[in-house]
Amino acid sequence: MCGIIAYSGNRSATPILLNGLRKLEYRGYDSAGIAIHSDNTIHIYKQEGKVENLVQSLGNYEEDPTHEAGHVGIAHTRWATHGPPTTANAHPHGAGQDGVNRIALVHNGIIENYRDLKLKLEGEGCVFLSDTDSEVLSFLIDSHYKDDLAKAVSAALKEVQGTFGIACLAKAEPHKMVVARRGSPIVIGLGEDETIVASDASAIISHTRQVIYLDDNDVAIIEGGKVDIRTLDARPVKRETSDIDWSEDAAEKGGYDHYMLKEIYEQPTAIRNSIRGRVDLDKGTAVLAGLGLEPREIVDIQRLLIIGCGTSMNAGLVGEYATEDFAGMLSEVEQAAEFRYRNPIVGSKDMVVAISQSGETADTLAAVREAQEKGALVAGLVNVVGSTIARETGRGIYLHAGPEISVASTKAFTCQVSVLLMIALKFARSRRLSREAGIQIAKEIHRLPELVEEVLKQNDHIAKIAEDFTNYTSMFYIGRGYLFPVALEGALKIKEISYIHAEAYHAAELKHGPIALLEESMPVVALLNEGPGKEKTLGNVEECRARKSPVLGVITEGDEDAKANCDWYIEVPKSPQYTATITSTVALQLFSYHVARLKGCPIDQPRNLAKSVTVE
Ligand code: F6R
C-alpha cells in the first residue's frame, strides 16, 4: 500500500527521504517521488517503477546545491488505485499555475467525492495532469490557500469524503510542512531539532524511537523539531508520545534471502513473545489483562464474534473452533467487510474480537466501529502497537510478533492463533473447563515454540518436495475441523506468492462438486494430522488418488498409515489438532516459499498485493 515519508529539520531532506522510501518498499508500490522545498521553490521529482529508478533519475543529488539546501520535503511510494502506475500519476502532486507549484502533496487513502470536487475545480480553471484523486486534493488545498497552509488544509479536508493520510508543502512557507490523517495512519517521529513523519514506523526507527500517532482528523503543523497538533477546527490537542519497542534490526533481512523466510524462522521467538506471561500453567488458564474483563463479566458474554480479513480471518476460524471446543460457547468468525455491509445482529452480550496484523485494515476498522455503535464489547488482536484498531478498541491483546515486513503474512498468523487459543482457554476456565483440562491445554500452548522449531528443521526436505510443484497451475487443499483453516491459509499463501491457483475445501465438500476437477495435473494437499476426522480425510485422499491426483500430506510424525497413502509427506510433531494448526501452517508456509523461490517469483512483494489494505 502507498507509503509516506516526510522530513523537516536542519539536514538535507533528499537522502533521508530516499532512504525512507527504501524502507517503505515492502508495502508494495508501483511508482515513487519526492518534493523538496529549496530556493523558495517546490521541486518535484517522480518516476514510474522502483525507488532505484527515482534515485538514478536524480543523478548526483548529494552534490547538487538544490538538494543540499532543501531541508524540508515529502515523499511517497504509490500503489495505483485511480489511474495506471505512470509517472504523471505518481506523487507528490503539485498544484498552482503556469507550472509553478504553490502546493505539493502526498496522499495515502481514497478521496471518494473526487469527481465532484474535480468538476468544480475545473470550472474554476484548474488544469489536472493526472488521473488521481490525490491531485484533486492538492488543487483543493491550493484553492483555499491565502497565506496559511494549515488553514487551507483544514478547509479542504472538511470538503473531502473518504480516507487520507497526507503531508504537504506550500511554496510561500518554506520551513513548514503540514500532515493530517483520517483512516490512514500517520506517525510523527520526534528527533532533535528535526521531525520525520511516515505512514509506518519502520521508515522512522533509524532516526528516532519517540513517536506520536495522529488521531483521525488531526492536523499537525511541523517546523524543524516543533510539532503543533490541532483538530480540523484549529483547536489545539495533545497527543501522547510513545516509544517504539522494537529495534531497527528487527525490520532488516538479517542474512535471509527474503523477509518472508526470516519471518517464518522468527516464529518460535514470536510465539514465545506472544504467550510470555500469559499462560498460567498452575491454574490452567490464560492471563489476558488487556481484555479488561473480570471472570464474572466473561460469564455474561454469550457469543464471541471474530472479525478480520485474509490471513487474520483464517486465524479467526481456529479461534471459533477452539472457543466452541474448549468453552462450549457460541462463537462465529466473519469476514470484516461482510460484517460491516450487512446489518449485523450484534449487541451488548457479544464480545467482538477484531484481528489485524497491521491494525489499519479499512474493512476491519469499519467493522470495529459498527460493532461499537451496536453496543458490543470490542477488543483488538493486533500486532502493530499504536495502530488505529489498537487505539480505537482501547482493549485487547498485542501479538508482540515484531515487525512483519513481507507482504505475505506468516508469523502474525501463528501468533494470532496462539493468542486465540489463550482467549478460548480463558473463556473456558471461566465456564465449564476443569483445572486439570485447562492445565493440559496450557501446557500444549506453552510447548508451541519448540514444536515450531522441530518443523523448521524440515526445511530442506520441504524445499526438495517443492521442486516437484513448480509446473502445476492449480491445486486443492483439504482439511477437516481445526485443519480446515490451515487448508485455507495454505491455499492463500501459495496463490499469493507463487501465483498457482489454489482452492481450499472442507475435505467432505470435495465430493459435492470439486471432485470433477481431479486428475493428474491437479495435486491435492491434505491435512492429515492425527485426531478427529483423520481417518475420514484419509478416505478422501484415496478418492483423490483413485482419480490420479497426486497427494502431499501434512501428517503427524511417525504415522505410517498416512505416509503409505501420500505421494509426498511432511511430518510435524505429535500434538492435539488445535496446536497442529500452527505446526502444519508453518510447514505449508515453507512449502509455498520454496515453490515461489524456485519459480523466481518476487516473494516479499507479490504482484498486485499490498501489506496494509487501507482502502475498501
Ligand atoms: C495474506 C495477508 C492478507 C492480510 C489481510 C489482513 O498473507 O497478509 O490476507 O492478512 O490483508 O491484514 P491485517 O491482518 O493487517 O488486517
Side-chain angles (χ1 to χ4, degrees):
M1 187 58 50
C2 307
I4 290 176
I5 172 96
Y7 177 81
S8 172
N10 40 30
R11 295 189 278 162
S12 296
T14 301
I16 295 168
L17 297 177
L18 294 175
N19 277 334
L21 290 179
R22 289 187 185 105
K23 302 266 180 224
L24 293 171
E25 283 190 292
Y26 78 93
R27 295 166 68 100
Y29 71 104
D30 42 50
S31 55
I34 67 169
I36 52 163
H37 211 307
S38 177
D39 315 323
N40 286 319
T41 305
I42 297 177
H43 305 267
I44 297 180
Y45 311 87
K46 42 196 195 178
Q47 282 294 319
E48 202 177 315
K50 295 286 167 197
V51 170
E52 280 325 298
N53 294 357
L54 174 69
V55 175
Q56 273 175 19
S57 74
L58 294 177
N60 192 7
Y61 64 86
E62 270 144 340
E63 288 174 21
D64 179 336
T66 303
H67 287 280
E68 269 179 56
H71 293 178
V72 181
I74 58 179
H76 193 259
T77 48
R78 172 175 187 254
W79 186 74
T81 54
H82 296 75
T86 58
T87 299
N89 286 336
H91 299 213
H93 288 290
Q97 268 177 348
D98 306 324
V100 176
N101 298 310
R102 296 202 308 179
I103 299 291
L105 166 117
V106 291
H107 166 227
N108 285 357
I110 292 201
I111 307 300
E112 287 164 4
N113 57 337
Y114 85 103
R115 283 192 193 83
D116 294 345
L117 294 169
K118 191 170 185 175
L119 277 177
K120 188 183 105 181
L121 290 163
E122 278 172 340
E124 291 167 11
C126 297
V127 179
F128 291 92
L129 303 175
S130 80
D131 312 311
T132 65
D133 53 336
S134 310
E135 191 188 17
V136 175
L137 180 54
S138 185
F139 272 93
L140 188 64
I141 294 170
D142 186 50
S143 74
H144 285 283
Y145 189 80
K146 291 199 176 66
D147 53 7
D148 185 332
L149 181 58
K151 272 191 190 159
V153 166
S154 301
L157 294 181
K158 283 184 186 168
E159 287 187 52
V160 156
Q161 287 158 18
T163 56
F164 51 80
I166 59 166
C168 46
L169 307 175
K171 178 179 178 335
E173 294 171 82
H175 306 293
K176 192 183 280 180
M177 68 184 177
V178 171
V179 303
R181 72 155 275 170
R182 184 190 297 157
S184 198
I186 290 287
V187 190
I188 300 177
L190 308 171
E192 217 165 275
D193 300 326
E194 64 179 11
T195 304
I196 307 102
V197 172
S199 48
D200 84 61
S202 58
I204 290 179
I205 187 144
S206 60
H207 301 283
T208 176
R209 295 177 161 277
Q210 281 218 302
V211 294
I212 295 173
Y213 297 95
L214 283 193
D215 275 357
D216 273 356
N217 296 312
D218 282 352
V219 177
I221 304 148
I222 296 166
E223 247 182 282
K226 279 199 299 191
V227 178
D228 172 12
I229 306 176
R230 302 177 184 178
T231 63
L232 278 187
D233 295 318
R235 205 166 27 84
V237 280
K238 234 185 142 32
R239 300 285 172 232
E240 230 174 83
T241 303
S242 36
D243 279 335
I244 300 174
D245 64 355
W246 40 271
S247 68
E248 202 183 348
D249 290 354
E252 302 288 342
K253 271 193 216 151
Y256 287 89
D257 287 344
H258 297 95
Y259 284 112
M260 182 179 178
L261 190 61
K262 176 186 174 234
E263 287 159 12
I264 290 173
Y265 271 86
E266 279 172 349
Q267 289 178 109
T269 307
I271 296 171
R272 227 168 249 127
N273 290 339
S274 280
I275 63 178
R276 176 167 297 124
R278 290 171 169 167
V279 182
D280 186 333
L281 292 169
D282 289 334
K283 294 192 181 135
T285 187
V287 183
L288 302 171
L291 290 182
L293 293 174
E294 297 295 327
R296 229 176 340 96
E297 292 172 291
I298 294 181
V299 175
D300 283 345
I301 296 169
Q302 286 178 358
R303 183 176 60 151
L304 190 70
L305 198 58
I306 304 171
I307 51 176
C309 299
T311 287
S312 295
M313 182 184 65
N314 295 342
L317 207 50
V318 181
E320 175 190 311
Y321 291 176
T323 308
E324 288 179 359
D325 186 15
F326 301 174
M329 180 181 161
L330 189 60
S331 177
E332 284 169 83
V333 68
E334 177 133 18
Q335 210 280 347
E338 288 299 312
F339 179 87
R340 69 181 282 202
Y341 285 118
R342 289 193 295 113
N343 186 8
I345 300 166
V346 59
S348 59
K349 295 283 180 199
D350 294 314
M351 170 134 174
V352 173
V353 175
I355 309 183
S356 176
Q357 188 286 129
S358 62
E360 302 294 347
T361 299
D363 285 323
T364 311
L365 179 58
V368 161
R369 290 175 180 160
E370 180 62 23
Q372 284 172 331
E373 190 63 34
K374 288 197 150 60
L377 204 65
V378 184
L381 208 164
V382 169
N383 192 34
V384 178
V385 176
S387 57
T388 311
I389 293 174
R391 285 181 296 131
E392 290 207 10
T393 48
R395 68 169 82 212
I397 303 165
Y398 279 121
L399 298 180
H400 299 311
E404 191 179 68
I405 305 290
S406 175
V407 166
S409 192
T410 53
K411 60 179 177 172
F413 176 88
T414 47
C415 291
Q416 286 162 348
V417 172
S418 306
V419 173
L420 285 162
L421 293 176
M422 291 190 288
I423 294 178
L425 174 61
K426 179 152 189 72
F427 275 62
R429 289 287 287 124
S430 305
R431 290 162 184 255
R432 63 170 190 177
L433 196 78
S434 69
R435 179 166 170 264
E436 285 64 34
I439 289 175
Q440 203 41 48
I441 295 173
K443 278 185 179 160
E444 293 295 344
I445 297 173
H446 198 252
R447 72 187 189 110
L448 268 168
E450 289 157 46
L451 299 186
V452 172
E453 269 157 16
E454 287 306 308
V455 180
L456 295 175
K457 290 183 188 156
Q458 306 265 344
N459 181 48
D460 291 350
H461 168 65
I462 296 172
K464 194 93 196 86
I465 294 175
E467 288 173 11
D468 295 338
F469 279 79
T470 51
N471 290 326
Y472 288 116
T473 53
S474 215
M475 293 170 72
F476 281 171
Y477 281 66
I478 57 170
R480 282 166 193 268
Y482 276 116
L483 304 174
F484 172 59
V486 178
L488 284 172
E489 181 56 14
L492 179 61
K493 227 68 319 167
I494 197 114
K495 65 187 144 205
E496 273 183 296
I497 61 165
S498 75
Y499 310 146
I500 295 177
H501 167 246
E503 297 294 337
Y505 292 105
H506 294 276
E509 190 61 21
L510 213 55
K511 287 197 281 299
H512 300 282
I515 199 166
L517 290 172
L518 293 183
E519 56 179 3
E520 222 170 329
S521 62
M522 176 71 87
V524 175
V525 176
L527 277 307
L528 288 166
N529 308 70
E530 278 172 0
K534 182 205 120 178
E535 294 305 326
K536 290 203 174 355
T537 309
L538 261 183
N540 302 123
V541 162
E542 279 174 29
E543 287 159 12
C544 297
R545 296 183 83 204
R547 286 155 186 83
K548 297 203 166 49
S549 277
V551 173
L552 165 60
V554 180
I555 67 172
T556 304
E557 207 168 22
D559 183 347
E560 299 303 327
D561 193 20
K563 281 184 197 173
N565 278 288
C566 298
D567 298 275
W568 309 265
Y569 57 82
I570 304 169
E571 291 176 272
V572 299
K574 195 172 174 59
S575 81
Q577 284 186 340
Y578 57 80
T579 47
T581 53
I582 290 180
T583 51
S584 299
T585 299
V586 173
L588 293 180
Q589 291 167 351
L590 283 171
F591 173 66
S592 302
Y593 171 81
H594 288 297
V595 174
R597 177 183 59 78
L598 291 164
K599 287 184 72 178
C601 297
I603 292 177
D604 286 330
Q605 290 163 33
R607 69 182 178 212
N608 305 338
L609 289 180
K611 184 63 188 158
S612 159
V613 185
T614 53
V615 293
E616 288 172 35

